[in-house]
Amino acid sequence: MITLNNVSAGYGSGDIIKNISMEINGNLSIVGPNGCGKTTLLKVIAGLLPCSGSLEVFGRPISKMKRQQVAENIAMLSQQPTIYFEYSVFDTVMMGRYVHIKKRGGMMPDKEDKEAVFRSLLAVDLADSKDKSIAKLSGGQLQRVFLARALAQEPKIILLDEPTNHLDLKCQVDIIEHLNHWSAESGRIVVGVLHDINLAMALSPTMAVMKGGEIYAMGKTTDIVANGALNQAYQMDVKAHMVSTFSNWST
């Protein structure tokens, strides 16, 4: 469970998110227009950005958790992962095992680490590319590598900022389905920031709509789509656009 109580945060020139209070007990899709604070909220939950108010993860204040303890519970896939070194796909995903290697006092990955990496590569359909340099991958392949790294970390919570960027339609569906299977195990949570409302509906039965740095609406995804909250947040007829887009795809 993730519990936020009157959480506000920003980057030095004022708060971007303001007085956010909510409990996250299962998968949650976060939607809203650009600049409304979605990514900032994820960074706060990940412990990457200090905040006022209180934030607890499974009953523990995140402000009192060591970085390794946070990593044991939370993995975050950023919107635009950056390549620093030309590691292989396998070695890049192995970085997700660092917290486990360090916890057991080891220096090198063991059989369990390698198996976890291979399972994660299979999940994103990149097992055959394990020896390739990540510098030679497409944007979509690179996104899947960093998702595999998050899966290899074996956290209880995965935070995703536009996880399907650069992915084709089939891969988008496959990733969302895998995340749903992954989170089906008791205690696991996926919180995803998504612009595609259809994917947001597929990821979780619960949706939070952000507007102006606040939670404008939160509830069952089907209710949020039906009750006009999305229209108010985006200042457009979102449902009509979804129908129109689907019609265009099907012709």
Side-chain angles (χ1 to χ4, degrees):
M1 177 190 294
I2 307 167
T3 306
L4 298 91
N5 187 22
N6 293 323
V7 167
S8 299
Y11 302 95
S13 58
D15 290 335
I16 303 296
I17 59 173
K18 309 158 192 173
N19 301 317
I20 292 181
S21 297
M22 62 179 174
E23 287 189 355
I24 305 173
N25 297 303
N27 287 7
L28 175 69
S29 297
I30 302 175
V31 301
N34 289 335
C36 69
K38 301 184 299 294
T39 296
T40 299
L41 177 58
L42 283 194
K43 289 181 178 179
V44 167
I45 295 173
L48 300 175
L49 188 65
C51 66
S52 60
S54 65
L55 169 61
E56 294 183 352
V57 176
F58 300 112
R60 301 176 62 188
I62 200 167
S63 60
K64 296 183 179 180
M65 296 168 67
K66 295 180 179 178
R67 195 63 226 164
Q68 181 173 334
Q69 293 173 320
V70 174
E72 289 173 4
N73 286 280
I74 301 173
M76 181 171 177
L77 176 61
S78 299
Q79 190 171 17
Q80 295 177 323
T82 303
I83 299 176
Y84 293 103
F85 300 101
E86 292 189 17
Y87 291 127
S88 71
V89 168
F90 189 89
D91 288 341
T92 301
V93 177
M94 182 60 75
M95 292 178 187
R97 300 298 301 171
Y98 174 75
V99 64
H100 300 279
I101 296 170
K102 184 177 180 180
K103 186 176 181 179
R104 66 171 183 263
M107 295 293 293
M108 299 294 292
D110 63 11
K111 181 181 178 181
E112 183 179 345
D113 297 317
K114 293 175 182 178
E115 288 175 349
V117 168
F118 194 70
R119 285 196 305 271
S120 301
L121 287 172
L122 283 173
V124 300
D125 196 26
L126 282 177
D128 291 341
S129 301
K130 64 183 180 65
D131 296 321
K132 286 185 179 180
S133 165
I134 60 172
K136 297 180 180 180
L137 301 180
S138 68
Q141 289 174 317
L142 186 62
Q143 191 80 346
R144 284 187 281 156
V145 169
F146 283 97
L147 176 56
R149 184 177 68 179
L151 294 171
Q153 191 174 321
E154 294 186 328
K156 296 177 182 177
I157 299 166
I158 292 183
L159 307 177
L160 302 161
D161 192 355
E162 284 298 314
T164 57
N165 270 3
H166 312 296
L167 302 181
D168 62 37
L169 182 59
K170 181 182 184 304
C171 195
Q172 288 179 16
V173 172
D174 288 345
I175 291 298
I176 294 297
E177 287 183 351
H178 180 79
L179 289 168
N180 279 321
H181 287 307
W182 179 88
S183 62
E185 185 170 323
S186 178
R188 289 179 173 179
I189 296 172
V190 177
V191 180
V193 165
L194 295 156
H195 279 300
D196 188 314
I197 305 300
N198 294 296
L199 290 177
M201 294 177 70
L203 176 64
S204 80
T206 306
M207 179 181 288
V209 183
M210 294 191 69
K211 180 181 180 182
E214 300 178 345
I215 299 296
Y216 181 73
M218 183 172 174
K220 289 184 179 180
T221 300
T222 50
D223 292 342
I224 293 293
V225 172
N227 68 15
L230 290 172
N231 295 352
Q232 293 298 317
Y234 286 98
Q235 294 294 294
M236 62 176 288
D237 190 338
V238 174
K239 191 173 182 180
H241 176 72
M242 291 169 63
V243 172
S244 174
T245 301
F246 181 79
S247 298
N248 290 337
W249 285 349
S250 61
T251 57

